Amino acid sequence: MALINKLPVVLEKIPGGNVLLTSADTLLSWSRASSLWPLTFGLACCAIEMIATGAARYDIDRFGSGVFRASPRQCDLMIISGTITEKMSSRVKMLYEQMAEPKYVIAMGNCAISGGPFVYDCYSVVRGAELLIPVDVYVPGCPPRPEGLLYGIMKLQDKIMKESIIKGN
Amino acid sequence: MANIIEELKNKFSGAVLEQDAAGAIFVPADKIKDIFSFLKLSYGPQFDYLSSLTAVDHLPDIIEVVYHLYSVKGNTTVVIKTKLNREAPAVASITEIYKGADWFEREVYDLFGVDFTGHPDLRRILTPEDCEGYPLRKDYSHPRIMIKPKAEVKNI
């Protein structure tokens, strides 16, 4: 990505260069948003709804995210679907750190947002994924319907479209 | 069921056996291995399947270990319980007799602290490796546990 970093400096000096930059921005953000490859990270019941989202009726493939990769090195979206226990939390962090930039996280379901139904009397549940890794989109529900997860992915796509290489996002 | 009690009493004359209200048989902790190998090998309808091995914490001084045995040929279930001292609960491991008891005993060790002597690999199975204490004991507390505020019941 070194060439991309030097591009704004070069292009700003050329007349008409700014127009080129915003077009390049739009192109890059659009291409990232339209092919978010998720990591297969189903932890509990929300995984079933995530699988249903990937199946034929609610097809996640029309958003470009149909290929769920098993390896964190090959994906750019981590959908944390399910309860995070203390024993699993170190693995969540490890997988997040293994993903390459730019990477995004969706916290799916009440357990990933804040501990869900386990927030009061449980000794082993981490109260929300945000205690471990930075989260971009929260999708509430127990479990959220597949349409809810798709809405979350659409919101994430809007967020990515606002990113810009000029500002270094 | 009465059959089993009679046979056990004949075979292990020194053991004190009594029955629960629900039909569970209480046996002394030091006779566990003998009784189980008798039930698996020598008893009529052989109890060849260990369905479950759990524990119950009775404050202030007893932890009970509960064994559920099932006989495939005889289609009967028998429930066997032992009472252990809560200060240092220890009982012989039955992994040599029932291989399936391996992870059950690891779980009971992890959550209650019962030491199974003779177990091939006794270590924590469900809680993280650095967990201290035994979560399913009734006097266990953890900083994460929040008390849920009691909802007021209003008569509308």
Side-chain angles (χ1 to χ4, degrees), chain A residues 18-160:
Chain A
N18 278 334
V19 176
L20 216 64
L21 272 176
T22 44
S23 317
D25 259 350
T26 315
L27 182 64
L28 277 172
S29 306
W30 171 81
S31 57
R32 273 186 207 144
S34 308
S35 71
L36 286 166
W37 285 10
L39 174 67
T40 54
F41 202 54
L43 295 172
C45 358
C46 279
I48 304 291
E49 294 291 333
M50 189 169 70
I51 292 168
T53 315
R57 186 183 284 252
Y58 300 104
D59 205 9
I60 204 177
D61 200 10
R62 45 196 171 125
F63 294 88
S65 304
V67 277
F68 283 80
R69 313 302 298 168
S71 160
R73 306 278 186 197
Q74 298 171 3
C75 54
D76 41 11
L77 171 63
M78 186 184 204
I79 304 181
I80 302 192
S81 49
T83 318
I84 307 180
T85 51
E86 193 182 324
K87 205 163 181 178
M88 191 67 187
S89 61
S90 54
R91 280 83 171 165
V92 171
K93 285 190 85 160
M94 196 190 320
L95 288 174
Y96 179 73
E97 281 157 16
Q98 284 181 347
M99 286 165 70
E101 292 279 345
K103 54 189 170 185
Y104 309 97
V105 175
I106 291 182
M108 175 187 180
N110 290 351
C111 288
I113 296 177
S114 68
F118 305 107
V119 75
Y120 284 114
D121 296 318
C122 196
Y123 58 90
S124 58
V125 168
V126 173
R127 309 303 199 250
E130 63 190 2
L131 298 176
L132 306 167
I133 55 181
V135 177
D136 293 297
V137 172
Y138 296 87
V139 180
C142 191
R145 275 196 58 88
E147 291 103 326
L149 179 60
L150 290 176
Y151 185 63
I153 291 187
M154 287 195 280
K155 281 286 178 193
L156 180 63
Q157 287 180 337
D158 293 340
K159 186 176 181 181
I160 296 173

Side-chain angles (χ1 to χ4, degrees), chain A residues 117-121, chain B residues 144-153:
Chain A
F118 305 107
V119 75
Y120 284 114
D121 296 318
Chain B
R144 266 198 211 117
I145 299 178
M146 289 187 256
I147 308 294
K148 188 171 182 181
K150 262 206 155 1
E152 285 175 7
V153 177

Side-chain angles (χ1 to χ4, degrees), chain B residues 100-120:
Chain B
D102 195 344
W103 279 17
F104 280 134
E105 291 178 345
R106 272 179 72 183
E107 181 184 4
V108 172
Y109 164 69
D110 185 10
L111 300 172
F112 287 92
V114 176
D115 180 32
F116 289 91
T117 53
H119 191 274

